[in-house]
Amino acid sequence: MARFDISTIGEGQIRLTCHKGDRLVTARELRMTAACSEANVSGLLSQLGRSASWASVMPKGELGERVLDEFRSVGVHLGNIVRTERGRVALYFMEPGEYPMPAKVIYDRLYTPFRDAGIEDFDWESMLDARLVFVTGITAALTENTAKVVGYFVDQAAERGIDVALDVNYRSLLWDADSARRVLEPIARKSSIVFCSRSDGTRVFGIPGDGMTVCRTLREAFDVPVVVSTDQINGVYLSTAEKDRRFEVIQVPVVDRPGAGDSFVAGTLHGFLDGDVEAGIGYGLRTSSYALTHYGDLTHVAPHELDLPTTTDILR
């Protein structure tokens, strides 16, 4: 029996966000939260009772501990974290934006130890003692080194018959679409489930059409058993060999947007690990809506809250 339900790797960061109504160029206060897409997924799954491992390379020191404490507090296994004596913690700055102004992100991720990590730095036997390996396009985008590490993780998982989940999660500030396709397409072909938004399907893989068309075409093109596509408020789409299905998205008030997509992925994988991806999408829609209601990239959800009625009343 595998030690972990899910094992993943990604760079821990600190997000610094100005208050709504402020611009980064004028802000006098910033809210500090820990961040990492892969760790967010592990953290939510851990809260739902899954055994979850997150691997990374983090420098010793207070800022590194701040990031690790966030995910340690919800039960994520950190034994596969590599600690370095020197180096800096990655940062990103966010301006939330308010219509008609879009949100804005500025990355400060150069010269971190994670960017220089090599395949030889990690304990693969521990990291591959898992039912599911989860990777994202964000980590693959950082450097050639991180792309090789992600590719090796996936290759080793596939050789051992371990399911692989890929979240394409294209970031145009980190790499161009051609580079993303070159790196991510081989990973997609080895995956059991792929998450790819309609817009990423078009930009990265050149697939035009509506959400359902992009979702189905991705599955057929890469021979993936399961593809899940999001299209903002227009819907969530599922394509398997047996069926295609659209799920309605209900709009909720937004307090803080980052992490909502990770929450959706985590909820969906919670169902996938039980062999019911449709139920998982239902969980993902619920957890992602919860994610929008509170600050921080990591969504804090208890298992019983997946079944709470939708209400603005006080539960007492």
Side-chain angles (χ1 to χ4, degrees):
M1 184 175 179
R3 181 181 182 187
F4 304 115
D5 290 311
I6 182 171
S7 178
T8 190
I9 186 170
E11 182 171 45
Q13 307 161 71
I14 287 176
R15 170 162 67 104
L16 297 163
T17 310
C18 60
H19 299 297
K20 284 191 175 183
D22 278 345
R23 304 293 306 272
L24 284 170
V25 294
T26 58
R28 295 295 178 264
E29 294 181 348
L30 298 172
R31 179 188 297 271
M32 176 191 288
T33 52
C36 173
S37 183
E38 297 87 351
N40 294 338
V41 171
S42 290
L44 198 151
L45 283 168
S46 179
Q47 292 172 78
L48 296 179
R50 302 291 184 182
S51 53
S53 168
W54 167 46
S56 190
V57 180
M58 296 292 294
K60 295 179 180 179
E62 293 181 359
L63 292 181
E65 286 302 320
R66 170 66 182 85
V67 176
L68 298 182
D69 283 347
E70 180 89 2
F71 301 105
R72 182 185 292 116
S73 70
V74 293
V76 176
H77 175 80
L78 302 182
N80 291 317
I81 300 283
V82 177
R83 305 302 303 275
T84 61
E85 294 294 334
R86 296 185 178 184
R88 51 161 305 204
V89 174
L91 308 175
Y92 83 93
F93 297 82
M94 182 174 176
E95 190 175 279
E98 197 72 52
Y99 182 83
M101 288 290 290
K104 177 181 180 181
V105 166
I106 297 175
Y107 291 113
D108 183 14
R109 303 182 66 166
L110 295 179
Y111 313 116
T112 62
F114 185 82
R115 298 174 70 90
D116 295 325
I119 292 169
E120 67 281 359
D121 293 321
F122 297 98
D123 183 350
W124 296 107
E125 289 305 311
S126 175
M127 292 166 61
L128 289 161
D129 191 2
R131 295 174 56 198
L132 177 70
V133 162
F134 173 64
V135 297
T136 77
I138 296 175
T139 297
L142 295 178
T143 65
E144 289 186 10
N145 287 339
T146 60
K148 289 177 182 177
V149 167
V150 169
Y152 182 83
F153 198 9
V154 170
D155 288 346
Q156 291 298 306
E159 287 183 13
R160 300 178 188 215
I162 300 168
D163 283 331
V164 173
L166 166 66
D167 185 3
V168 171
N169 219 339
Y170 176 63
R171 294 288 186 267
S172 61
L173 295 179
L174 297 178
W175 58 354
D176 60 70
D178 288 341
S179 298
R181 179 170 187 165
R182 185 178 66 254
V183 172
L184 297 181
E185 184 171 328
I187 294 174
R189 293 184 182 278
K190 296 175 183 176
S191 298
S192 300
I193 179 170
V194 170
F195 296 86
C196 183
S197 70
R198 180 199 58 78
S199 60
D200 285 356
T202 300
R203 288 183 294 181
V204 177
F205 300 110
I207 300 173
D210 60 19
M212 193 71 261
T213 300
V214 171
C215 186
R216 184 189 312 112
T217 304
L218 279 168
R219 181 183 61 79
E220 293 171 347
F222 300 145
D223 195 25
V224 183
V226 180
V227 173
V228 179
S229 295
T230 56
D231 190 14
Q232 299 183 340
I233 64 171
N234 298 314
V236 169
Y237 305 92
L238 167 69
S239 183
T240 69
E242 292 75 31
K243 66 167 66 172
D244 294 334
R245 182 179 171 186
R246 176 186 179 276
F247 297 77
E248 183 179 0
V249 174
I250 298 174
Q251 287 185 268
V252 299
V254 177
V255 173
D256 192 34
R257 190 173 298 279
D262 301 330
S263 295
F264 173 75
V265 168
T268 303
L269 291 178
H270 186 50
F272 177 82
L273 285 164
D274 281 340
D276 191 344
V277 70
E278 291 184 72
I281 291 174
Y283 299 147
L285 288 169
R286 177 59 68 93
T287 54
S288 60
S289 66
Y290 287 163
L292 295 169
T293 67
H294 59 265
Y295 291 107
D297 289 50
L298 175 63
T299 304
H300 293 270
V301 172
H304 73 274
E305 290 178 314
L306 293 180
D307 299 318
L308 287 178
T310 303
T311 177
T312 57
D313 290 340
I314 299 174
L315 295 178
R316 31 173 146 220

